Each structure stands twice: as C-alpha cells, then as structure tokens.
Amino acid sequence: MVTYVDAAEAPARNTGAIRLYGPEDFEEMQAAGQLAARCLDDLCDLVKPGTTTTEIDDFVHDFALRHDVVPATLNYRGYTKSSCTSINHVVCHGIPNDKPLKNGDIVNIDVTFIRNGWHGDSSRMYPVGQLKRAAERLLDVTYEALARGIEAAKPGATTGDIGAAIQAFVERERCSVVRDFCGHGVGLLFHDAPNILHYGRPGEGIELKPGMIFTIEPMVNLGRPHVKILSDGWTAVTRDRSLSAQFEHSIGITSTGNQIFTLSPAGRHKPPYL
Ligand code: MF3
Ligand code: CO
Ligand code: CO
C-alpha cells in the first residue's frame, strides 16, 4: 500500500510515506537545485589533466560557503567530503583524493546543496582531455538514458515506467544498468521515499502524482552491471572494471509533466562543455 502525506505535515524522517509538495516548495527546490547546477557549471573549467579530486572538492566546499548553503554529504553517515568524484570504473561515491586526473579519464562529480532546508542533488560526467571513442559513447548513452527517464516522469505514469524507459534504451545500446543504487525522494530530506529504480517494467511500482519530488540518476556500465564496494566502505566499482557513467537531476512532478530543478543555467548539459 502507498501512503501520501502533505510535506508540510510530514515528520522530519523517512517514514516510507510519499510526501506531496506544493508550489512554494517547488520554488525552494528550484533555488537549491540551481545552486548545485551553477556549481557543476563552474567546475567545467577546473576539470583537466593534472587537477586532483581534492581540488574539485575544495572548489565545491568553497562554492557552498560563498553561497550560504551546506554540502549535504559533509558528515552524512560518516562521509567527510563535500562531493563525490567517481573516476572511470568507479560507479558512484568515489571519495576525493590527491591523485591527479589523467588525459582520457571520465569523472562524475555529484553535488548536493542544502539551501534553507531544501536539498538540490545533481551530478554530471566530465571528460578529462581527449576521450577514447568507447568512453565518449558511454557518456552519450548515459545522458540520453537520464533524458528518457525524465521524459517518462509524469502524472499517471509509474516509477516502473521511468526504469523501463532507461533500461530499454541502455540495453539496446549494449550497455548495462547498475541495480545496486537508485534514485530517491528528495526535498526536506536527502534520501526519502520513493526509490526510483533505473530498470523495471512499464506499469510496475507506484503511480506518479503532482507534488512528488525525487532524483533520477542512472549508472550505466560498458560491461556487466555488477558492482562491489571497496574497503573504504564507500567507493563502488564495476566488478569487471569496465567504465561506468552517471548523470543525475532532481525533478518535481507537475500537473502536466515535470520540472527539472537542476538544469544547467549555462547550457552545459552534457559534454563537450564549451
Ligand atoms: N549525492 C548522492 C546521491 O545522488 C549521495 C551521496 S551520499 C555520500 O544520492 F555520502 F556518498 F556522499
Ligand atoms: Co541522489
Ligand atoms: Co547525487
């Protein structure tokens, strides 16, 4: 059974009930989301061979301070950085470190800012220098997978319709969808109900209703879908060490479709970021 609750009356924890947010809440999400998007825009110029992911994380941390927002990952369940930086075969939750990026790397930068209590969560892939054709194709497929998931997100559709749209496209492109991580309700909480699976069948899951706010964040591998977590307890990598990519947006369901809160104001939606 699915239960719904007016976001204003909902307890401040994830109870499994799905919060329905109002128009003022959508404005708050738009403001939080746009700050995350502007930070991701500004990072384009920093990502090049020689840059370390610590330098990227420092930029994100400083951006947050300058704009009076809080990086949601900082001290979240023991995580101590302001961003996640996931390189090549790292699927997600890569921890920034002092190793320089190399020509040909692909890196996902995932940023969540809390503004006035509201969480704007988004990530993009960044090419480092000149990519090989396979890496370039993976970024295209993953971006398009997110776009197709978002297109399927509208009132009357289900969470399964989103997953099915993503999976059908990704597998047609001979890539695979990671099953171990999913999108999530977002808003006043970082990770809330419902789960948004990036695979599934049309009509499965719960029906989407105006006022729902969640992320879609497909992780797509060039090889097999299986992942393992490294001994740091965070870093997820592909078991077959194949390349992995991810794009993420925070969106809200409207009466006619959806609103993307984390769209790039600079038009830096996908590489190449000119
Ligand atoms: N931003 C990630 C997401 O998209 C979550 C990162 S949690 C962390 O949901 F602790 F790993 F940072
Ligand atoms: Co997320
Ligand atoms: Co994220």
Side-chain angles (χ1 to χ4, degrees):
M1 202 197 53
V2 191
T3 57
Y4 300 95
V5 56
D6 185 331
E9 261 106 63
R13 59 177 204 282
N14 183 343
T15 59
I18 295 167
R19 288 155 214 265
L20 298 178
Y21 292 98
E24 298 89 359
D25 304 333
F26 273 50
E27 276 179 37
E28 295 281 1
M29 275 304 292
Q30 180 71 20
Q34 282 301 293
L35 277 174
R38 279 173 58 191
C39 182
L40 293 178
D41 281 348
D42 289 357
L43 281 165
C44 293
D45 306 316
L46 189 60
V47 179
K48 49 179 184 283
T51 301
T52 69
T53 46
T54 294
E55 289 169 326
I56 291 169
D57 192 65
D58 288 345
F59 180 91
V60 174
H61 188 259
D62 181 66
F63 184 101
L65 293 187
R66 281 188 280 124
H67 293 87
D68 270 313
V69 295
V70 175
T73 57
L74 206 52
N75 304 315
Y76 177 78
R77 299 181 180 212
Y79 194 82
T80 60
K81 304 289 179 178
S82 298
S83 61
C84 296
T85 52
S86 303
I87 303 167
N88 295 340
H89 71 297
V90 178
V91 171
C92 64
H93 303 163
I95 304 170
N97 63 27
D98 292 325
K99 238 181 91 184
L101 295 168
K102 305 182 309 296
N103 183 55
D105 284 347
I106 55 171
V107 57
N108 174 279
I109 307 177
D110 191 336
V111 166
T112 307
F113 287 147
I114 311 173
R115 181 188 177 277
N116 202 20
W118 296 85
H119 293 70
D121 185 6
S122 187
S123 82
R124 292 180 210 158
M125 294 303 298
Y126 296 78
V128 181
Q130 185 63 44
L131 299 191
K132 294 202 169 125
R133 211 161 41 239
E136 213 154 61
R137 189 177 82 88
L138 177 63
L139 300 200
D140 284 341
V141 169
T142 309
Y143 179 85
E144 180 65 20
L146 172 58
R148 298 211 177 193
I150 292 172
E151 254 175 66
K154 52 184 182 232
T158 69
T159 53
D161 293 339
I162 297 173
I166 292 169
Q167 183 181 13
F169 173 72
V170 166
E171 292 180 353
R172 178 149 66 73
E173 295 293 329
R174 302 178 315 282
C175 295
S176 67
V177 174
V178 170
R179 312 291 205 266
D180 302 69
F181 300 95
C182 58
H184 49 90
V186 69
L188 289 169
L189 292 183
F190 191 2
H191 292 110
D192 203 351
N195 284 337
I196 306 296
L197 306 187
H198 304 114
Y199 59 94
R201 280 197 276 250
E204 280 181 350
I206 60 158
E207 189 182 327
L208 302 177
K209 296 191 184 302
M212 287 182 181
I213 295 180
F214 53 82
T215 72
I216 306 180
E217 47 182 300
M219 284 139 276
V220 175
N221 300 345
L222 271 186
R224 292 172 55 77
H226 309 102
V227 314
K228 66 176 181 189
I229 310 290
L230 299 187
S231 57
D232 60 26
W234 285 104
T235 311
V237 300
T238 55
R239 282 190 172 269
D240 63 7
R241 295 188 64 88
S242 67
L243 286 182
S244 186
Q246 177 180 32
F247 285 86
E248 173 177 28
H249 275 310
S250 296
I251 73 170
I253 302 299
T254 63
S255 58
T256 54
N258 63 66
Q259 178 177 345
I260 305 173
F261 300 123
T262 46
L263 261 194
S264 164
R268 291 177 152 179
H269 305 296
K270 59 174 268 198
Y273 302 118
L274 304 169

